[in-house]
């Protein structure tokens, strides 16, 4: 059965390959198969000719058929099934094929005009472009002959001179202008200057001012290959001069819906502290809304403060839309802006569930379920309450092994308030787009069937604030965690006795820590623009406990205890950086680096187990199971007799690269490479104990695991269902250390797939 199927696909591939070699097969008489565009510079070369050539070719239309190794595979698929009206052939033609692209003179002429405009907009004011068709054997290419001429530079810039209030602002902005004599003339620089001046005016009270009010006269007769720029300001629509505006009356509609002003709708009106509230019912407490709105009556209008007010209102959570409208009003010699905020309530409660599964071979299956409930107006003051429940199991099939190897359960409740409850005004909430105080309580239960039971309780209070669209901060001045280890098996006790570091990381202990996290994110929702993401987190534990213990009880014999429980003392740092690069035809490339290090000191001989690092699983190095790798060249995580893998370390290095591309409709594909490992920190022991897994600068790079694979993503906007199939390229072996296993890859072997192929099913992208 397998041989005929393989033969069928081989014949199909051969047919498609042959048809890919005949791109003109379905070109009608009088048409030409389009080979693409070619740019030829005549005379003087432009500055950065390679860059200019690439940008000009990007403007050429149409785009030719995709080519791979001299063939046209998508065109071959289209030709192979061109006559199919239904069935799999029709589906392949429409989803994977692409019809032949033909040369069109009207598109070539349009491209020529675009290229010429591009050159003139970038200073080549005497540029001219000729275009002709180069044809042979029903194939044609568009050839563009470019005469750029000399590039013009700015000779002088003339600014307006009058006695209006706007003139004073322009004089302040003039030193910061990028339009200076000697710089190349570029239309984009003029547009940026217009926008810069308009933003400065909007921040200084000039409500009506926009970039459209600024324009330039150009004088090309100033000198040879120089342009004189004359900046001028168009008056407001009603004439006269631009005047500064001040904040007038502020009205907020907390329950606004389209048509709410209709007959039969009862509206309640309340005025307090310069604000007017009009609503159909009580929804969010009014002082909360009042605090979210920046600037008060009589203050000079600042546009950024108005946008920040809209963001702060949206950030409260209960509203799905926030619209701001202005009404100009003249009073005496001053202009005022009366503001109206229209807030449309959204759903205050939602429920979500996520499922994740992974498998390595046929005898191991892991799954996890996460359930989340959120209420965005819990106490009527835009308080956000969330309850999260997570559970996971790892099963194993085979002789003399437990079916249920591992069971995890966690529960966490969080309550956040829409203000910073900070003493002495240490954090200025009015400067932030969004600011919240968050209190949380949680518990985790972890059972390793053949090893131990770990239970922890934690409480945390933190401040979160966002000063702008790119930056986020979180300060947790108080984090308390209590950990208890019990039901340890004799085999696990032997492991603890043989490994002092492992023994020190388990047991009963208390963690009192302070943490700070910073996020930088350039990503814009629903926009395909390159972006950088950076996250850095630092946690220091045990210092306060150490000081209090010393102050209350004086010098003691180590380890010190707090309320009868030994406390941990360590410093933990972690950073995550990602860069996402989008391509023009739907694909994208994302690279990521995740690094972490933790150092125990003082009262601790090792990092607590729950604060240690690990790698592997659906969102890490996907060719390996969760906690299977490390530390270093250690292979205990691969030993079947150990049961569930539980390898952790003090140092972490993880590198990921993934190319994502569309397949058809909602289905996307990905090819990825993951690399990394974990290590232990600290000096080597001299008491005869094992030093496996220690991080060493001159050796760590030899202990990097590498995996690769292929993934599919069903992206339907509201959620992403992801399946990643991965296998190792480099892994550790007992007694040998790390070595490459590329030559061992045998995708057709069932035993190889069982031992090496990892399947990861999850919701959402890995990073």
């Amino acid at each position: 059965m397998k041989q005929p199927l393989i033969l069928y696909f081989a014949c199909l591939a051969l047919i498609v390959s042959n048809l890919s070699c005949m791109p003109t097969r379905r070109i009608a008489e009088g048409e030409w198969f389009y080979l693409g565009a070619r740019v030829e510079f005549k005379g003087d070369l432009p500055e950065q000719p390679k860059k200019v050539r690439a940008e000009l070719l990007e403007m050429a239309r149409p785009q030719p058929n995709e080519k791979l190794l001299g063939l046209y595979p998508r065109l071959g698929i289209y030709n192979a099934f061109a006559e199919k009206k239904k069935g799999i052939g029709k589906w392949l033609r429409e989803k994977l094929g692409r019809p032949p692209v033909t040369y069109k003179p009207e598109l070539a002429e349009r491209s020529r005009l675009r290229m010429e405009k591009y050159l003139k907009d970038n200073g080549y004011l005497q540029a001219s472009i000729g275009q002709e068709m180069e044809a042979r054997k029903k194939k044609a290419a568009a050839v563009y002959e470019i005469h750029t001429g000399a590039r013009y530079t700015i000779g002088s810039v003339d600014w307006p001179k009058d006695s209006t209030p706007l003139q004073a602002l322009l004089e302040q902005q003039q030193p910061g202008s990028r339009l200076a004599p000697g710089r190349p003339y570029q239309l984009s620089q003029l547009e940026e200057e217009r926008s810069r001046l308009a933003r400065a005016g909007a921040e200084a009270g000039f409500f009506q001012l926009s970039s459209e009010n600024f324009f330039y006269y150009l004088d090309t007769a100033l000198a040879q290959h120089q342009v004189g720029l004359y900046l001028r300001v168009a008056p407001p629509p009603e004439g006269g001069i631009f005047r500064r505006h001040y904040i007038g009356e502020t009205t907020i509609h907390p329950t606004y819906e389209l048509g709410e002003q209709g007959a039969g709708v009862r509206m309640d009106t309340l005025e307090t502290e310069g604000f007017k509230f009009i609503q159909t019912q009580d929804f969010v407490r009014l002082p909360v809304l009042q605090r979210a709105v920046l600037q008060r009556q009589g203050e000079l209008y600042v546009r950024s403060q108005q946008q920040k007010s809209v963001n702060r209102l949206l950030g409260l959570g209960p509203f799905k839309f926030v619209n701001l409208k202005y009404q100009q009003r003249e009073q005496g010699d001053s202009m005022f802006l009366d503001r109206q905020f229209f807030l449309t309530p959204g759903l205050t409660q939602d429920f979500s569930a996520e499922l994740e599964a992974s498998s390595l071979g046929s005898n191991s299956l892991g799954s996890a379920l996460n359930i989340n409930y959120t209420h965005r107006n819990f106490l009527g003051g835009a308080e956000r309450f969330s309850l999260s429940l997570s559970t996971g199991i790892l099963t194993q099939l085979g002789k003399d092994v437990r079916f249920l190897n591992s069971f995890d359960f966690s529960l966490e409740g969080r309550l956040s308030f829409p203000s910073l409850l900070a003493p002495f005004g240490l954090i200025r909430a009015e400067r932030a787009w969004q600011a919240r105080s968050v209190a949380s309580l949680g518990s985790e239960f972890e059972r390793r069937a053949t090893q131990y039971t770990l239970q922890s309780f934690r409480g945390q209070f933190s401040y979160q604030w966002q000063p702008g669209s790119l930056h986020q901060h979180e300060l947790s001045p108080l984090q308390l965690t209590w950990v208890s280890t019990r039901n340890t098996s004799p085999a696990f006790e032997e492991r603890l006795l043989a490994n002092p570091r492992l023994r020190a990381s388990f047991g009963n202990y208390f963690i009192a820590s302070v943490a700070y996290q910073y996020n930088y994110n350039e990503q814009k929702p629903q926009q395909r623009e390159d972006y950088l993401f950076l996250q850095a987190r630092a946690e220091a534990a045990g210092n306060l406990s150490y000081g209090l213990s010393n102050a209350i009880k004086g010098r003691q014999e180590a380890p010190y205890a707090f309320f009868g429980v030994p406390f941990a003392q360590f410093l933990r740092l972690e950073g995550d950086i990602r860069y996402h690069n989008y391509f023009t035809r739907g694909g994208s490339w994302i690279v990521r680096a995740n690094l972490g290090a933790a150092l125990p000191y003082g009262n601790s001989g090792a990092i607590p187990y729950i604060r240690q690092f690990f790698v592997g699983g659906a969102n890490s190095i996907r060719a390996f199971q969760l906690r299977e790798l490390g530390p270093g060249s250690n292979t205990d995580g691969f030993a079947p007799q150990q049961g569930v893998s539980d390898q952790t370390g003090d140092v972490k290095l993880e590198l990921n690269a993934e190319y994502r591309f569309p397949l058809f409709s909602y289905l996307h594909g990905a090819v990825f490479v993951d690399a990394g490992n974990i290590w232990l920190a600290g000096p080597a022991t001299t008491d005869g104990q094992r030093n496996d897994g220690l991080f060493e600068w001159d050796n760590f790079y030899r202990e990097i695991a590498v995996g690769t694979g292929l993934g599919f993503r069903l992206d339907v906007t509201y959620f992403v269902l992801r399946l990643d199939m991965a296998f190792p390229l480099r892994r550790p072996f007992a007694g040998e250390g790390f070595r490459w296993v590329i030559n061992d890859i045998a995708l057709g072997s069932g035993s190889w797939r069982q031992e090496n192929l990892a399947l990861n099913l999850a919701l959402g992208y890995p990073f």
Side-chain angles (χ1 to χ4, degrees), residues 226-299:
Q226 288 189 352
V227 175
L229 302 180
Y230 296 84
L231 173 64
R232 296 296 180 261
V233 182
E238 68 276 7
I241 63 173
F242 286 98
R243 301 167 62 183
R244 284 189 167 92
H245 288 64
Y246 298 85
I247 300 297
E249 298 176 356
T250 300
T251 303
I252 300 178
H253 303 259
T255 57
Y256 176 77
E257 297 283 355
L258 290 176
E260 74 168 5
Q261 304 294 336
V265 179
R266 180 177 176 272
M267 310 296 293
D268 294 328
T269 302
L270 175 67
E271 295 189 34
T272 175
E273 299 181 15
F275 282 74
K276 180 187 291 186
F277 297 91
I278 302 176
Q279 58 185 5
T280 57
Q281 61 181 354
D282 292 336
F283 183 51
V284 176
R285 285 196 295 273
L286 304 185
V288 174
L289 304 178
Q290 192 171 334
R291 285 197 303 268
V293 175
L294 303 177
Q295 295 204 281
R296 297 297 183 259
Q297 189 168 0
E299 294 183 15

Side-chain angles (χ1 to χ4, degrees), residues 137 210 244 310 333 390 403 453 460 471 513 537 558 576 606 667 731:
K137 295 182 179 180
S210 73
R244 284 189 167 92
V310 171
D333 296 332
S390 300
F403 173 73
T453 298
Q460 177 177 324
H471 310 274
S513 62
R537 181 176 178 83
D576 189 290
L667 187 63
R731 54 160 294 179

Side-chain angles (χ1 to χ4, degrees), residues 308 431-434 465-473 518:
K308 192 174 289 188
R431 297 179 181 176
W433 279 27
Q434 299 177 23
W465 70 98
Q466 184 176 346
S469 60
L470 301 177
H471 310 274
Q472 292 179 321
H473 304 267
Y518 168 74

Side-chain angles (χ1 to χ4, degrees), residues 8-50:
Y8 170 78
F9 281 110
C11 292
L12 181 61
L14 183 61
I15 292 172
V16 170
S17 176
N18 287 333
L19 292 174
S20 299
C21 299
M22 300 184 291
T24 61
R25 183 169 179 262
R26 296 188 179 276
I27 300 297
E29 190 65 33
E31 292 187 340
W32 304 85
F33 179 74
Y34 184 56
L35 295 173
R38 191 169 75 249
V39 167
E40 296 179 354
F41 292 112
K42 302 295 183 180
D44 296 336
L45 290 177
E47 299 176 14
Q48 298 180 302
K50 290 184 178 180

Side-chain angles (χ1 to χ4, degrees), residues 122 354 409 535 569 576 649 714 716 751:
N122 283 277
E354 297 180 359
F409 176 86
Q535 183 180 90
Q569 198 168 9
D576 189 290
L714 184 63
V716 292
S751 60

Side-chain angles (χ1 to χ4, degrees), residues 526-663:
Q526 310 302 322
Q527 295 188 32
R528 288 180 55 84
E529 293 184 10
D530 298 353
Y531 70 87
L532 175 70
F533 172 85
L534 171 67
Q535 183 180 90
R537 181 176 178 83
E539 180 183 11
N543 298 323
L544 179 61
S545 303
Y546 189 85
L548 290 175
S549 183
N550 259 338
I552 296 173
K553 298 183 178 180
R555 290 286 179 179
Q556 309 171 50
E557 184 178 344
Y560 285 33
F562 199 66
F563 296 112
V565 180
F567 58 84
Q569 198 168 9
F570 60 87
L571 176 65
R572 187 180 191 271
L573 305 174
E574 185 172 11
D576 189 290
I577 184 169
R578 312 168 194 172
Y579 183 73
H580 202 142
N581 176 232
Y582 288 96
F583 302 140
T584 55
R585 298 188 182 181
S588 66
W589 178 261
I590 182 168
V591 291
R592 170 181 180 249
N594 182 257
L595 302 93
L599 178 67
Y601 62 92
N603 208 48
S604 293
I607 301 296
Y609 171 77
I610 64 171
R611 290 291 199 273
Q612 291 181 340
F613 299 103
F614 58 87
V615 291
N619 300 315
S620 180
I621 307 176
R622 285 159 279 187
F624 301 92
Q625 292 190 74
L626 189 69
R627 295 188 174 94
E628 185 179 40
L629 273 172
S633 298
N634 192 297
T635 58
D636 289 348
F638 297 90
Q641 65 271 18
Q642 182 174 314
V644 61
S645 302
D646 208 4
Q647 306 302 105
T648 58
D650 307 325
V651 178
K652 172 185 177 182
L653 171 63
E654 184 180 324
L655 305 171
N656 312 90
E658 183 169 293
Y659 174 63
R660 300 169 183 172
F661 52 91
L663 292 174

